[in-house]
Amino acid sequence: MTDSLYAKIYGHFPANGDKPLLETNDGRVITYTEVHEITGRWMSYLTDIGVKKGDRVAVQVEKSPESLLLYLACLRGGFVFLPMNTAYLDDEIDFLVGNAEPAVLICRPADEERRRAIAERHGVAHVFTMDASGQGSWEVAASTDSHRAAAAPIVACGPDDLAAMLYTSGTTGKPKGAMLTHRNLASNAKALAETWRFTENDVLLHALPVFHAHGLFVACHCVLMTGATMIWLPKFDLDAVMAALPRATVFMGVPTFYTRLLSDARFDRAATAHMRLFTSGSAPLLAETHRAFSERTGHAILERYGMTETGMNTGNPYDAERRPGTVGMPFPGIEIRVVGEDDVTALPTAGVGAIQVRGPNVMKGYWRLPEKTAEEFTADGWFKTGDVGMIDDRGYLHIVGRAKDLIISGGYNVYPKEIEGVIDDLPGVVESAVVGVPHPDFGEVGVAIVKSDGQGHLDEDQILAHLKAHMANYKVPKRVFFEEDLPRNTMGKVQKNLLRDRYKDLFSA
Ligand code: MCA
Ligand code: AMP
């Protein structure tokens, strides 16, 4: 008996192998039979070039059917899939590759030279390319020998063997690799597919990126666990989503997707008549968005709550009331508690405290950081989410804030500390603070407040240009302001709440 997630997924492949796992909007189809053939060929090729079970395969490529097949080939071979945000620049990739020490790096053709330099520096043996249509040196090398596909095994995996590693930044320090096991991913996939009533007849409209848990695991696993089908869009594009909706039954998005859909008058009852489920997560969905959506379409968005380290923890009910502004109850097999100052005593109903989670979904730990891992778990084995919440009298969890200094912008996490570090390195900067303020499109965006030494002629454009050269574009604050001094409390700590308040109306409509 194997605990391989691929084996579990394969067990649900439809009897008719000609059924599409996915269709693209330009008419490409990948059937379930092709999935098994291609992943067989690709995992065999990885084995042939010396990649072993447990080795990392790092990938920074555009979303294509092949980018998903790469993930599935890794699952099948027992290799650890490490997807990286396509917006990451050299410095960010250099850190991840140096830290994860992958055996293989697959990149976009345009990045090849720079990625080879990084690979060489960190002793990565193999570099391949894959473009937005799935073509490149990977395809040429790995797809040649079609005979090997049939004989390729599904490598046996134990429940605690790693399936994927996703990096998540911290409020301090460098990104950490969350080690996700076959059990973590499989248990969550089963819980979600069952709770959300997926069947072979579902067609999921997939517009999320596939380098994060939301797009790669939550969305794809529900489909793969039930032999369903996806309409595979390269990214969220309003017109493409509108065009595909009549053929879909399920849509998953971050709140920005929903506010953008609502901004389009074509998005109404008729456009969503074929749909059975809309889910939202990765960032708070405003209750007003939830209500506007219900009024416009007659559908209640099902909001759920998760993390890279834990997969999905809670969700509003499928059959009962989906309460705006709440993230519902724990998924089957998962426990949630809200604790007080001592980190272990559960608070009474409606008490506000730290949210903790326990269950088969919770990661094995942070890659090569046993002490950091230990810090994030309580003595009695609960994972500390860093989110603050309360459970109401009907058992619905409300997220009321974050203990961690984190901005969630359009569903992407932005860590102020990382940005402040890069600003502070600029000559003429004494110090800086980055805070999140409300934004009509992204929900929240970063704004930087800088104290300069008054000597030079540092301006907003210079700082923004410097940041854009050093980090993924979505992390760059939307504005920079200069202040004589940053407000501090008696302990000398910058009072970010005051800054947040000062700039809160910057982007209000
Ligand atoms: C793009 N830009 C952004 C963001 N995205 N700025 C702030 N926040 C963002 N999220 C900026 C770019 O820097 C660029 O600015 C300009 O917008 C245009 O970029 P483009 O890529 O064309 O933007 P877009 O296509 O409109 O993208 C917006 C988006 C995208 C579709 C909302 O951000 C997105 O797909 N977000 C989904 C994130 C996600 O999947 N999160 C799941 C994490 P400039 O031109 O100045 O450079 S998983 C997770 O959190 C847990 C597990 C969970 O619970 O799900
Ligand atoms: P990540 O590190 O990208 O996995 O982000 C996880 C964080 O996103 C959580 O700890 C929450 O702070 C936030 N998050 C995810 N889903 C929701 C939601 N439905 N409402 C509010 N915050 C959410």
Side-chain angles (χ1 to χ4, degrees):
M1 179 60 193
T2 170
D3 290 282
S4 156
L5 174 58
Y6 189 93
K8 294 198 160 71
I9 286 168
Y10 186 59
H12 293 283
F13 275 19
N16 173 9
D18 292 337
K19 185 166 185 229
L21 164 64
L22 58 84
E23 295 166 12
T24 66
N25 50 348
D26 53 9
R28 281 191 68 199
V29 168
I30 305 282
T31 67
Y32 274 92
T33 296
E34 286 172 317
V35 169
H36 202 56
E37 273 175 17
I38 296 169
T39 58
R41 218 175 288 148
W42 288 5
M43 65 83 66
S44 300
Y45 179 71
L46 286 168
T47 307
D48 288 354
I49 61 173
V51 183
K52 298 195 172 49
K53 187 176 161 187
D55 282 350
R56 278 77 57 216
V57 175
V59 173
Q60 188 194 28
V61 298
E62 297 303 334
K63 181 178 175 184
S64 66
E66 284 73 13
S67 65
L68 176 62
L69 293 169
L70 266 182
Y71 165 57
L72 296 175
C74 287
L75 280 184
R76 181 162 172 185
F79 314 123
V80 183
F81 190 68
L82 163 47
M84 301 184 290
N85 195 316
T86 48
Y88 287 167
L89 304 183
D90 296 354
D91 292 355
E92 288 149 318
I93 298 295
D94 188 71
F95 176 81
L96 299 190
V97 170
N99 189 261
E101 298 182 339
V104 180
L105 174 59
I106 305 179
C107 67
R108 290 171 287 208
D111 299 333
E112 184 176 5
E113 204 175 311
R114 293 182 343 270
R115 294 294 167 267
R116 280 196 186 277
I118 290 173
E120 212 163 292
R121 190 152 54 246
H122 298 294
V124 180
H126 306 280
V127 177
F128 298 98
T129 61
M130 180 180 276
D131 68 16
S133 66
Q135 300 303 302
S137 64
W138 168 259
E139 166 72 20
V140 171
S143 289
T144 44
D145 184 359
S146 57
H147 301 297
R148 284 183 302 192
I154 297 174
V155 170
C157 289
D160 295 322
D161 287 340
L162 299 195
M165 198 148 86
L166 264 58
Y167 277 78
T168 111
S169 289
T171 42
T172 55
K174 290 290 190 182
K176 310 179 291 280
M179 297 188 288
L180 301 167
T181 65
H182 284 263
R183 182 196 356 234
N184 293 152
L185 299 184
S187 66
N188 217 230
K190 184 168 185 289
L192 298 181
E194 287 176 7
T195 306
W196 293 342
R197 309 276 203 282
F198 270 79
T199 73
E200 216 177 295
N201 298 326
D202 274 308
V203 178
L204 181 135
L205 178 50
H206 196 301
L208 288 156
V210 283
F211 41 72
H212 276 311
H214 195 167
L216 185 61
F217 303 147
V218 181
C220 296
H221 289 172
C222 284
V223 168
L224 287 158
M225 275 295 199
T226 50
T229 293
M230 288 186 272
I231 301 171
W232 193 251
L233 301 183
K235 59 178 286 197
F236 180 87
D237 173 85
L238 193 53
D239 289 328
V241 169
M242 288 301 303
L245 270 176
R247 291 181 287 131
T249 61
V250 181
F251 182 75
M252 296 187 184
V254 298
T256 299
F257 290 11
Y258 291 111
T259 48
R260 288 189 183 181
L261 283 167
L262 284 170
S263 73
D264 191 313
R266 294 172 298 172
F267 187 72
D268 60 9
R269 253 166 222 270
T272 57
H274 192 245
M275 297 292 291
R276 75 170 178 87
L277 179 63
F278 290 91
T279 70
S280 177
S282 309
L285 181 76
L286 293 177
E288 67 195 59
T289 309
H290 191 286
R291 292 196 185 97
F293 196 93
S294 294
E295 274 164 31
R296 183 88 72 83
T297 66
H299 291 278
I301 298 175
L302 188 158
E303 185 174 6
R304 84 330 176 256
Y305 158 62
M307 291 183 78
T308 302
E309 289 94 330
T310 65
M312 300 302 104
N313 299 317
T314 70
N316 269 276
Y318 187 82
D319 287 323
E321 188 198 355
R322 300 177 193 161
R323 302 188 79 183
T326 81
V327 293
M329 297 82 171
F331 289 111
I334 297 170
E335 296 168 278
I336 285 281
R337 71 181 184 187
V338 172
V339 298
E341 298 278 308
D342 68 357
D343 250 2
V344 291
T345 310
L347 296 175
T349 300
V352 172
I355 303 174
Q356 298 179 348
V357 54
R358 189 163 73 172
N361 54 316
V362 179
M363 66 160 183
K364 188 168 171 173
Y366 293 114
W367 174 252
R368 294 182 181 162
L369 292 171
E371 281 158 23
K372 189 74 205 154
T373 302
E375 277 171 29
E376 300 303 322
F377 284 87
T378 64
D380 53 347
W382 293 72
F383 179 72
K384 303 174 191 172
T385 63
D387 294 308
V388 176
M390 67 98 163
I391 298 172
D392 68 20
D393 55 359
R394 293 166 60 189
Y396 289 72
L397 178 66
H398 301 233
I399 298 175
V400 300
R402 295 174 207 133
K404 48 196 178 192
D405 190 14
L406 161 70
I407 299 166
I408 305 185
S409 188
Y412 287 140
N413 288 4
V414 177
Y415 290 89
K417 180 105 184 148
E418 180 187 351
I419 299 149
E420 290 157 5
V422 177
I423 299 177
D424 294 350
D425 283 345
L426 270 172
V429 171
V430 177
E431 60 174 348
S432 64
V434 172
V435 296
V437 300
H439 187 272
D441 185 31
F442 294 123
E444 201 178 15
V445 294
V447 170
I449 295 95
V450 174
K451 175 180 175 175
S452 80
D453 63 9
Q455 307 294 313
H457 23 258
L458 205 54
D459 65 19
E460 176 171 22
D461 289 345
Q462 254 177 300
I463 292 182
L464 290 178
H466 177 71
L467 289 171
K468 279 190 181 165
H470 285 91
M471 57 178 62
N473 57 5
Y474 67 87
K475 295 181 187 172
V476 177
K478 300 295 180 213
R479 291 295 311 271
V480 177
F481 295 94
F482 292 87
E483 292 206 13
E484 295 239 322
D485 277 304
L486 300 184
R488 291 183 183 280
N489 63 16
T490 47
M491 313 278 287
K493 208 171 162 244
V494 175
Q495 290 173 296
K496 289 200 164 176
N497 54 327
L498 295 184
L499 293 173
R500 245 174 250 129
D501 199 53
R502 201 169 295 166
Y503 292 98
K504 69 178 190 311
D505 297 325
L506 205 53
F507 299 102
S508 55

